Amino acid sequence: MGPLIVILIYLAVVTYIGSVAVRRGKNNTEDFFLAGRSIGPMVFFLSLFATNMTAFAILGSSGAAYKQGVGIFGMMASSSGFMIPLTIFLIGTRLWALGKRFGHMTQVAFFRDRWECSGIGTFIFALSAAMIVPYMIISIIGGGTVLEEMSKGLVPYWLGCLLVTLVVTLTVFLGGMRGTVWVNVFQTILFMLFGTLALLVISSNLPDGGFGAVLSKLGASPKGFLLSREKMPAEVFWSYSLIPLSSIMFPHMSIMCLSAKKMSAFKNTVVAYPLAIMAVWLPSVFLGIIGAGVFPTLKGTETDGVLLKLLTEYAPVWVSGILGAGIISVVMGSDAHQVLALSTMFTKDIFDYYGGRQKFGEKSSILFARGFIVVLTVVAYLIALAKPQSIFELAVRFAFTGFAALAPVMVAALFWKRSTKWGALAATLWVTFWLFLTGYLTTISEPIGQELAKAQAAAQGGKKPGGKPGAGPVEGGKPAGAPEVQASPAAPASPGVEPTPAAAPASPSIEPTPPAPTEKPAGAPEAGKPGPGGKPGGKKPVTAKPIFPELGGLFMRSAAQVTVYGYLPVVPMVVGSALLMILFSLATKPPSKETIEKYFPGKAEK
Amino acid sequence: MKNYALALLVAAVYVAHQDFWNWNDRGLVLGVLPVGLAYHAFYACLAAVMMFILVKFAWPTRLEAEIEALGDAAIQVEGH
């Protein structure tokens, strides 16, 4: 009851902050969608970070670490710490400058203008919207399950989802971008302190020698592999480093970049970003490992609740409440931006672009946006009630990969004057094709995945998992995201987890993560000798099988996912997308001199 | 020359992410932090340093100045 009261107070405070923002707003789309491009450096950093982080960063990462060990941090968090600020620095700043100069409010508006295209822009819009909608729904599912878990069932799942949906809707509906970023400041401070606070509280209450003793004992147990990466395929670890390219391509991230008042707001943001990611992820991953030592028998989705279990066991009630609010804040921070981004895209890229604003006026655009927000969140809530978790987790996992593979399109648009709309179309079609192919391969290889999962469970003395197709970590990530996002470059971002049984009633469901790391495919190179404390491996169990034996190792299936020669599908997708962008651009007519002069002043050929 | 050095720095930091030498190391730093975790915590700090260097030496100053100069006239009618 105590934690619930703290969380409800938190939700009330958030709603109040969001509603205050409405008084500061002006009645135009520039203000509603981008806060009049007036966000200062500190708020910009806190808000951009909140946009990027999902509950996966806290719950999913600890659950993934529980199952796969410390490698999760290197694979997902530190790779994001490298890639996300780098893409914000290279792409975000340029997007901001062009947005400020030409008034773009979305990526699609930029693409349409940059390549003098209409239909191709609409196609990119459709693909982006299709990839972000599941992400938004998963956030609501995550919020509902976390509230149910934290309140020990006092707040049923449907009511938890409703509370999260209501708060997010009110914040975005009333305050638009301004309301959302004001709330983010409060939320981000809360969830950035979460890890440190959880670490301190749990550390002071752990019996018998604290963390060191737990880890020493774990190292000597059959689960000792969790202290290293010996069960993580090197190919997956490397391929995951491409997933964080998705971060800047997520519409809610790129739109957030457009809201800064000055370009200098990006400076401290990109420097602090890797440290902020570390502040959130490191304690969560570490506590996931500690959880494996303290509660060694968790199965399936229970593992995503390991952090909540540690808090319940080793933290005072009021602290649990504050930490629960921290978890909810990370869920809602990204969800609000996803709702706002979808509203911005539909209003600017569809309603306004196809004549709505011209016909009905500027105020009608805001009316449309607000109406859209209500309809979108109601529909998302109704879908969330059905808890179609495995489908959406899979969709989000693919979204991180898909957005990462669209990054070459953005790079070409910004830095290569010779790039053309046909190159962009070819790259986008390639990404779409691979998303369908990966979905198809995942579906048809499900029996192999189930069989491998069963074998692994048996090898670990566990029960038969009831993994659903592609079920990833459940939040209570993204991606990620992974990134797990997502994975994500903070993906992204959603990753690395073996399929989990369908969400147990009381297990926190986390947003799916970007692609899950698989076990080493048969025939993949070994990653080195057993480390200190490592037991001689003996005969390694088969952890991946070819989907089409006649194609050899081209398409492999592990318990969790499909790989291509052992690598995540993001590798051929990004490489192919870049190559097609180049080849089709060179083979087709460049944009007009006027357009090139507009975007590359002084560089148009005479 | 400066740009090449910066590109080399970025490439080197990217490569440093693949710490294969820690792959199977189950050791604990200071008796409490697994080696693989400690290394990547250090790596996150290294990424922050890299970003600091990029901001210092590769900031798009000219672009920033152009936009600043445009001031209130910056936002034109949306170019669709």
Side-chain angles (χ1 to χ4, degrees):
Chain A
M1 191 66 188
L4 180 62
I5 291 169
V6 177
I7 290 170
L8 291 176
I9 291 170
Y10 160 78
L11 291 175
V13 170
V14 162
T15 310
Y16 174 74
I17 294 172
S19 66
V20 168
V22 75
R23 299 173 212 161
R24 299 286 295 274
K26 296 172 190 155
N27 215 9
N28 64 54
T29 50
E30 183 87 19
D31 194 82
F32 187 77
F33 293 131
L34 299 178
R37 302 183 200 258
S38 64
I39 305 297
M42 181 51 82
V43 175
F44 178 71
F45 162 66
L46 292 171
S47 202
L48 193 68
F49 191 62
T51 307
N52 197 194
M53 288 294 117
T54 69
F56 186 84
I58 292 176
L59 295 178
S61 61
S62 52
Y66 182 99
K67 284 179 281 198
Q68 300 195 49
V70 297
I72 289 294
F73 182 82
M75 185 177 74
M76 296 172 67
S78 70
S79 63
S80 296
F82 169 85
M83 198 67 89
I84 296 178
L86 191 62
T87 53
I88 293 171
F89 175 77
L90 293 171
I91 294 172
T93 50
R94 272 77 181 177
L95 270 182
W96 173 87
L98 293 171
K100 189 99 173 168
R101 189 170 203 156
F102 302 122
H104 306 316
M105 291 194 203
T106 64
Q107 291 168 320
V108 170
F110 164 57
F111 288 143
R112 277 176 172 152
D113 194 44
R114 166 68 180 83
W115 286 316
E116 303 158 337
C117 63
S118 169
I120 293 172
T122 305
F123 179 46
I124 295 173
F125 159 85
L127 182 62
S128 302
M131 289 196 289
I132 198 176
V133 165
Y135 199 0
M136 184 197 72
I137 292 168
I138 279 287
S139 296
I140 294 171
I141 293 174
T145 40
V146 168
L147 274 173
E148 184 180 46
E149 177 81 6
M150 292 296 297
S151 68
K152 296 202 165 32
L154 204 64
V155 174
Y157 171 75
W158 68 266
L159 183 58
C161 287
L162 185 64
L163 281 171
V164 169
T165 307
L166 272 177
V167 173
V168 166
T169 305
L170 281 171
T171 304
V172 180
F173 181 91
L174 294 172
M177 177 65 89
R178 185 172 280 100
T180 307
V181 299
W182 283 16
V183 166
N184 283 160
V185 172
F186 177 56
Q187 287 172 325
T188 311
I189 291 169
L190 197 63
F191 77 70
M192 278 181 73
L193 291 175
F194 171 94
T196 311
L197 186 60
L199 215 58
L200 291 173
V201 170
I202 292 166
S203 160
S204 62
N205 290 302
L206 263 183
D208 309 328
F211 291 144
V214 171
L215 291 173
S216 299
K217 208 166 139 190
L218 183 69
S221 77
K223 286 197 166 191
F225 68 88
L226 294 174
L227 299 181
S228 70
R229 275 167 285 173
E230 57 208 66
K231 291 211 172 183
M232 187 174 275
E235 297 85 347
V236 170
F237 187 85
W238 172 75
S239 14
Y240 196 88
S241 67
L242 296 179
I243 292 281
L245 285 170
S246 60
S247 180
I248 195 70
M249 291 307 294
F250 270 105
H252 51 292
M253 281 292 283
S254 60
I255 289 171
M256 185 65 221
C257 284
L258 300 175
S259 69
K261 187 175 185 177
K262 291 178 181 291
M263 195 191 274
S264 54
F266 287 85
K267 286 184 176 177
N268 290 336
T269 296
V270 296
V271 175
Y273 221 92
L275 304 176
I277 289 176
M278 181 173 70
V280 173
W281 278 74
L282 190 63
S284 302
V285 169
F286 182 75
L287 288 171
I289 306 291
I290 293 294
V294 178
F295 312 112
T297 56
L298 300 183
K299 296 275 178 261
T301 51
E302 289 174 340
T303 57
D304 287 321
V306 64
L307 202 48
L308 296 175
K309 205 166 166 58
L310 280 168
L311 291 174
T312 310
E313 200 78 25
Y314 298 112
V317 165
W318 66 272
V319 175
S320 284
I322 292 175
L323 295 175
I327 295 169
I328 288 293
S329 72
V330 75
V331 170
M332 294 197 321
S334 53
D335 197 33
H337 278 282
Q338 286 151 11
V339 171
L340 184 64
L342 279 163
S343 167
T344 309
M345 288 161 69
F346 271 86
T347 306
K348 302 309 293 183
D349 297 335
I350 301 296
F351 180 79
D352 284 6
Y353 183 72
Y354 289 107
R357 189 177 57 171
Q358 258 184 325
K359 198 171 175 183
F360 302 107
E362 174 77 357
K363 283 185 183 173
S364 70
S365 286
I366 298 174
L367 208 63
F368 176 86
R370 286 192 161 130
F372 182 82
I373 287 163
V374 172
V375 171
L376 178 71
T377 50
V378 167
V379 170
Y381 171 68
L382 293 174
I383 294 173
L385 285 185
K387 237 181 172 177
Q389 217 154 277
S390 61
I391 297 167
F392 282 104
E393 280 166 0
L394 192 62
V396 172
R397 195 189 290 178
F398 288 175
F400 276 83
T401 303
F403 279 118
L406 284 176
V409 174
M410 180 61 83
V411 171
L414 289 170
F415 297 101
W416 189 31
K417 67 179 183 181
R418 183 66 182 75
S419 63
T420 72
K421 61 183 178 186
W422 301 112
L425 178 63
T428 310
L429 284 171
W430 171 259
V431 172
T432 310
F433 163 75
W434 265 91
L435 289 175
F436 279 108
L437 176 67
T438 314
Y440 168 73
L441 291 172
T442 303
T443 306
I444 62 160
S445 63
E446 195 51 33
I448 301 174
Q450 295 277 13
E451 181 195 327
L452 290 167
K454 196 173 158 185
Q456 282 171 18
Q460 291 171 14
K463 296 173 201 161
K464 172 186 170 183
K468 291 204 171 188
V474 241
E475 290 188 340
K478 181 224 257 87
E484 141 107 29
V485 113
Q486 163 64 204
S488 287
S494 322
V497 253
E498 297 298 21
T500 51
S507 70
S509 153
I510 326 190
E511 285 151 36
T513 61
T518 54
E519 297 295 328
K520 183 183 288 303
E526 291 298 328
K529 299 173 288 183
K535 294 189 177 183
K539 193 184 173 190
K540 278 200 141 192
V542 175
T543 52
K545 287 184 173 178
I547 297 172
F548 305 111
E550 60 276 16
L551 296 178
L554 176 59
F555 297 120
M556 302 289 289
R557 171 70 199 234
S558 71
Q561 66 192 4
V562 169
T563 56
V564 182
Y565 285 124
Y567 295 90
L568 295 177
V570 71
V571 177
M573 284 172 77
V574 171
V575 172
S577 171
L579 284 175
L580 287 168
M581 185 80 220
I582 293 166
L583 293 173
F584 275 77
S585 291
L586 291 175
T588 52
K589 195 171 154 237
S592 68
K593 277 185 185 174
E594 292 73 24
T595 297
I596 291 179
E597 186 56 39
K598 181 177 178 180
Y599 284 98
F600 300 89
K603 293 187 181 173
E605 287 167 24
K606 299 287 180 280
Chain B
M1 187 62 197
K2 183 182 76 173
N3 287 348
Y4 285 118
L6 291 171
L8 199 63
L9 168 73
V10 171
V13 174
Y14 178 71
V15 169
H17 183 258
Q18 307 298 310
D19 58 327
F20 56 88
W21 54 92
N22 289 326
W23 210 267
N24 295 295
D25 194 336
R26 296 184 181 187
L28 299 174
V29 176
L30 304 175
V32 79
L33 198 59
V35 167
L37 208 49
Y39 176 86
H40 280 278
F42 165 77
Y43 181 86
C45 299
L46 181 67
V49 171
M50 178 193 82
M51 289 316 303
F52 177 80
I53 292 169
L54 289 178
V55 165
K56 193 91 179 150
F57 298 106
W59 188 251
T61 311
R62 208 173 61 178
L63 182 61
E64 184 178 31
E66 279 173 19
I67 302 297
E68 290 286 323
L70 289 170
D72 291 341
I75 298 170
Q76 301 174 4
V77 178
E78 262 179 80
H80 285 323

